[in-house]
Amino acid sequence: MGLFDKIKGHNTDTGTQNDGDVSEFKSIVIDTINVIKELKNVAIASHLKPSELSFKLLRTTTYYSDEKSENNEMNEEELKLLSDDNFLLNPNLKLTQHYRVEIYKIADQEEDHTILPDITLSGNKTLTKIIAMVAKNHDVKYTSKLEEKIIEDIQIKKIKAGILVGIRDQNMYKEVKKIVANIRVNGIIDQNQTFVVCQGVDEIPSINDDLIYHYKKKINAKSTDGKIDYAKRGYVLAVDKDECIIEYIKPQLGTPGRNCRGAFLPVKEPRKSNDTPIAITANLVKKESETSIKYIANRGGYVNFDKGTYDIQDQMEINEISFRSTGSIDASLGSNIKINIKESDILKDAIGAGMSVETSEVHVQGNIGSGAKIKAKIAEIGGQTHQSAYIEADKIIISVHRGEANGQDIEIDRLEGGKVIGHTVHVKQMIGGEIIANSVKIDNLLSNAKITACDLIEITELKGNNNKLIIDPSVTKEFNEMIDTINAKIEKLEEELKAYPRQLSSKKEFIDKNKPMAEMVKDKIMELKRNGVEPPMTLFAKIKDFQEKVIDYNTFLQTFKDKKEELQEYRKELNQVQNKVFSAKIINHSAWKEFNEVRFRLISPPKDITYNPKEHEIVREITLKDMGNGEHRVMRSAEYSSK
């Protein structure tokens, strides 16, 4: 007898069909491997919609097949094998489940007052992990059947989704128990809760071989505003010693998995297509492991690939740096790379317009174009710099300078209207322009120059007019940092000292008020001892407490004095730093020309003292002297000082 016959026979025992009416449906128990399919069949046979029916799981039987046998029913002990990953990863293993279920009409069910929260199941892409999400619910109530009902609801949802039941799902029971316990205590589910319902075995994909050029990743073709900078093409790619520049990833076979439906998840064989031999020089080291081969720089420099061989070099000779040929070069200051640029034609730019170069050393035989930038430890320019060019380095040597240079030790043959900021600056010939430095030496000073120094301005021969020679200690970064540091310390101490007088007064008042009482207690102790009576400990405690208050006051007073002395020392230090202007000097080894200006700038209070030398005046050194009472005088000497 078929399934439909069973259902029809069952129904006809209890009623008949008249004029299209559906006969009464009673529940039916069936064994099946596909509950959803049977649910639809029963609905069709009973002239019902599938949505009107549901089912209850009565029993689950699990079968396995492998290379040795087929359809073996698993007993309780054998089911424990499914927790073993090695057992599950047998590719010949097949798992199936048969379910005994009771199919019933939902409307005919006796009313159950157990309120269940909404539970949804989801899984990852391969269904190796199934997650339940229990929605927050303020209507759910604890009953003795709640845990059983939630488990039953999840199992039904698993069967509908084709997920194996009762396998690797120990966590589900533990988490449901926690949720029910929380409902019992709090009466609600106050937030959504998620947990793992069952967990298969994740497959680990195979890794295809790959050849990674790590040094090429250093190319950053984007500017600060996020736009592509086509001038940055990575012509020179700097690497540090012990840096991995190339890495070959060996092909690695992955491991298969098995999902929560019992399906075996095979992995593909890894692809091998990048195992070309790599030739290297002694400047690289090859290090091999089970998973990769790394080619590591044996020294700092840049990666050079020539005639099929990789090398690390630290010197480069190129004809020019331009947008057309190389693009900008960014090799970092610590790269130890020296770049020699050979273009020397006076009508061409060795470093073209808008190009930037950053490396350890730059040696340029020719000119620097408009908007070009150089950043290095050592920069040497054999030609001339454009008025919009910028050079920054510790050591700078320039033939003809019209742009801006910023460094520590700067030497310029001819300064024509350019700007120089440095620590020590030596210019052979200066025509216009501006210099800001600690000390400045000019061999030949012509006209329209502005020179500001902290310590010294020295001129071998003054030939022109309209020059401004300024001594200003505040022009240097070091000076301003020192002033800021001292001022911060002074401000902190002054703030600390504000509270001391009030606290000292309070402590002193307490001591003065309690001193008579302490003397009386002391006398009482002495009297008792003279009479052979041991004084009470309370009297000693009072004396000790008073003495501690006196010690605390004296310590606090000494700290106050120390801080006041420290404040005075900082103020003296500030004055010494600010008064550095009085030790600075301007030296001119030749006769002065008129219409030149000498200026000394005081910091605190701010004040300028100016002197205008006369034509042919012979003054070797000019200094500023503090005469006291706020008066300052420009001192002129025809002799050189011994300092």
Side-chain angles (χ1 to χ4, degrees), residues 174-276:
K174 182 173 66 175
E175 294 296 332
V176 170
K177 192 176 290 293
K178 285 182 186 177
I179 292 171
V180 172
N182 185 59
I183 294 171
R184 188 171 190 173
V185 173
N186 299 316
I188 61 172
I189 301 176
D190 57 352
Q191 60 183 2
N192 294 342
Q193 299 190 41
T194 60
F195 59 87
V196 176
V197 168
C198 59
Q199 175 86 54
V201 181
D202 290 315
E203 82 279 17
I204 300 175
S206 295
I207 297 175
N208 299 324
D209 79 329
D210 196 10
L211 194 59
I212 304 171
Y213 296 92
H214 290 291
Y215 72 97
K216 292 184 178 180
K217 294 179 181 179
K218 296 191 172 189
I219 301 173
N220 183 10
K222 288 189 177 181
S223 58
T224 53
D225 59 2
K227 295 180 180 178
I228 298 294
D229 186 351
Y230 294 100
K232 294 182 178 180
R233 300 200 293 274
Y235 186 79
V236 176
L237 296 172
V239 295
D240 298 324
K241 187 178 185 299
D242 299 325
E243 183 178 338
C244 178
I245 65 164
I246 302 172
E247 182 177 11
Y248 174 67
I249 306 297
K250 294 180 179 180
Q252 297 161 51
L253 180 64
T255 56
R258 191 176 291 272
N259 68 17
C260 294
R261 285 178 170 168
F264 182 74
L265 305 174
V267 293
K268 295 180 180 179
E269 286 287 329
R271 187 179 66 249
K272 187 176 182 180
S273 57
N274 295 286
D275 57 339
T276 305

Side-chain angles (χ1 to χ4, degrees), residues 346 349 365-369 381-386 398-402 416:
I346 60 172
D349 289 333
Q365 294 184 21
N367 303 329
I368 309 300
I381 314 299
Q384 63 185 19
T385 62
H386 190 274
I398 303 175
S399 180
V400 179
H401 184 52
R402 296 191 178 99
E416 297 182 358

Side-chain angles (χ1 to χ4, degrees), residues 130-149:
I130 304 300
I131 304 292
M133 196 277 282
V134 181
K136 67 179 180 179
N137 191 308
H138 289 205
D139 299 322
V140 66
K141 303 295 180 186
Y142 172 78
T143 69
S144 60
K145 293 184 178 182
L146 183 59
E147 183 178 337
E148 176 189 340
K149 291 289 185 181

Side-chain angles (χ1 to χ4, degrees), residues 252-409:
Q252 297 161 51
L253 180 64
T255 56
R258 191 176 291 272
N259 68 17
C260 294
R261 285 178 170 168
F264 182 74
L265 305 174
V267 293
K268 295 180 180 179
E269 286 287 329
R271 187 179 66 249
K272 187 176 182 180
S273 57
N274 295 286
D275 57 339
T276 305
I278 293 177
I280 58 174
T281 68
N283 291 324
L284 288 101
V285 176
K286 178 180 176 182
K287 290 187 178 180
E288 186 168 358
S289 67
E290 291 184 1
T291 58
S292 68
I293 301 173
K294 294 181 178 180
Y295 299 89
I296 297 171
N298 214 9
R299 68 172 183 175
Y302 70 94
V303 180
N304 182 59
F305 182 65
D306 185 36
K307 297 178 181 178
T309 301
Y310 287 92
D311 189 17
I312 305 296
Q313 297 183 0
D314 61 2
Q315 294 205 36
M316 170 181 284
E317 284 199 1
I318 53 179
N319 195 53
E320 65 175 6
I321 293 178
S322 65
F323 185 88
R324 176 178 54 83
S325 61
T326 63
S328 294
I329 292 178
D330 182 359
S332 84
L333 299 180
S335 64
N336 200 36
I337 297 174
K338 304 175 184 67
I339 299 178
N340 301 311
I341 305 168
K342 298 183 293 183
E343 178 60 71
S344 58
D345 190 331
I346 60 172
L347 300 177
K348 296 180 180 179
D349 289 333
I351 298 180
M355 293 294 99
S356 64
V357 181
E358 182 173 339
T359 188
S360 178
E361 292 187 24
V362 178
H363 300 274
V364 184
Q365 294 184 21
N367 303 329
I368 309 300
S370 63
K373 295 180 180 179
I374 295 176
K375 189 173 183 180
K377 291 180 179 178
I378 299 175
E380 184 178 3
I381 314 299
Q384 63 185 19
T385 62
H386 190 274
Q387 62 185 12
S388 61
Y390 178 78
I391 318 295
E392 182 179 336
D394 294 337
K395 173 71 175 179
I396 299 175
I397 301 172
I398 303 175
S399 180
V400 179
H401 184 52
R402 296 191 178 99
E404 181 175 342
N406 194 323
Q408 289 292 310
D409 185 10

Side-chain angles (χ1 to χ4, degrees), residues 42-62:
V42 170
I44 292 170
S46 302
H47 304 287
L48 296 169
K49 297 178 181 178
S51 60
E52 295 179 79
L53 300 178
S54 187
F55 66 92
K56 181 185 294 183
L57 179 63
L58 302 177
R59 190 179 70 192
T60 302
T61 306
T62 303

Side-chain angles (χ1 to χ4, degrees), residues 316-582:
M316 170 181 284
E317 284 199 1
I318 53 179
N319 195 53
E320 65 175 6
I321 293 178
S322 65
F323 185 88
R324 176 178 54 83
S325 61
T326 63
S328 294
I329 292 178
D330 182 359
S332 84
L333 299 180
S335 64
N336 200 36
I337 297 174
K338 304 175 184 67
I339 299 178
N340 301 311
I341 305 168
K342 298 183 293 183
E343 178 60 71
S344 58
D345 190 331
I346 60 172
L347 300 177
K348 296 180 180 179
D349 289 333
I351 298 180
M355 293 294 99
S356 64
V357 181
E358 182 173 339
T359 188
S360 178
E361 292 187 24
V362 178
H363 300 274
V364 184
Q365 294 184 21
N367 303 329
I368 309 300
S370 63
K373 295 180 180 179
I374 295 176
K375 189 173 183 180
K377 291 180 179 178
I378 299 175
E380 184 178 3
I381 314 299
Q384 63 185 19
T385 62
H386 190 274
Q387 62 185 12
S388 61
Y390 178 78
I391 318 295
E392 182 179 336
D394 294 337
K395 173 71 175 179
I396 299 175
I397 301 172
I398 303 175
S399 180
V400 179
H401 184 52
R402 296 191 178 99
E404 181 175 342
N406 194 323
Q408 289 292 310
D409 185 10
I410 303 174
E411 296 179 18
I412 298 173
D413 287 345
R414 184 178 175 89
L415 179 59
E416 297 182 358
K419 183 175 183 179
V420 179
I421 301 172
H423 186 270
T424 303
V425 176
H426 180 199
V427 177
K428 292 181 180 178
Q429 188 177 64
M430 184 173 182
I431 307 170
E434 181 180 7
I435 299 175
I436 300 172
N438 274 47
S439 61
V440 180
K441 183 178 180 181
I442 309 294
D443 291 349
N444 290 284
L445 178 59
L446 300 180
S447 301
N448 303 314
K450 181 180 180 182
I451 303 171
T452 306
C454 176
D455 298 326
L456 172 69
I457 298 174
E458 183 176 1
I459 301 164
T460 303
E461 188 172 2
L462 177 60
K463 296 182 176 180
N465 312 106
N466 199 32
N467 297 299
K468 297 183 186 301
L469 310 179
I470 305 167
I471 295 293
D472 181 359
S474 69
V475 296
T476 64
K477 179 183 177 184
E478 294 79 9
F479 176 87
N480 286 299
E481 287 177 349
M482 195 181 302
I483 292 291
D484 290 344
T485 301
I486 297 172
N487 277 328
K489 291 177 180 178
I490 290 173
E491 185 178 338
K492 182 182 178 183
L493 272 175
E494 287 177 339
E495 189 64 32
E496 289 177 4
L497 288 170
K498 285 180 182 178
Y500 272 76
R502 178 177 53 80
Q503 294 183 47
L504 280 169
S505 177
S506 175
K507 292 176 186 288
K508 184 70 166 58
E509 183 180 343
F510 177 86
I511 291 170
D512 292 343
K513 183 178 179 180
N514 289 276
K515 188 174 182 180
M517 181 274 295
E519 293 293 337
M520 289 175 59
V521 172
K522 191 175 181 181
D523 291 342
K524 183 65 175 176
I525 291 172
M526 296 301 294
E527 180 185 347
L528 290 171
K529 283 185 175 182
R530 282 195 300 268
N531 294 328
V533 179
E534 184 66 28
M537 292 303 297
T538 53
L539 297 180
F540 286 108
K542 288 181 179 180
I543 290 294
K544 185 180 179 182
D545 181 62
F546 180 75
Q547 288 173 340
E548 286 177 349
K549 291 290 192 295
V550 172
I551 292 171
D552 176 58
Y553 170 76
N554 290 332
T555 303
F556 200 75
L557 178 61
Q558 187 59 48
T559 303
F560 179 56
K561 291 178 180 178
D562 291 342
K563 285 185 177 291
K564 286 176 72 176
E565 288 181 9
E566 187 180 3
L567 181 61
Q568 288 302 113
E569 288 298 319
Y570 283 137
R571 284 172 174 162
K572 285 180 183 178
E573 186 179 350
L574 183 63
N575 288 332
Q576 288 172 359
V577 173
Q578 293 183 143
N579 292 339
K580 198 174 181 181
V581 67
F582 300 115

Side-chain angles (χ1 to χ4, degrees), residues 17-21:
Q17 249 177 302
N18 291 313
D19 300 323
D21 293 333

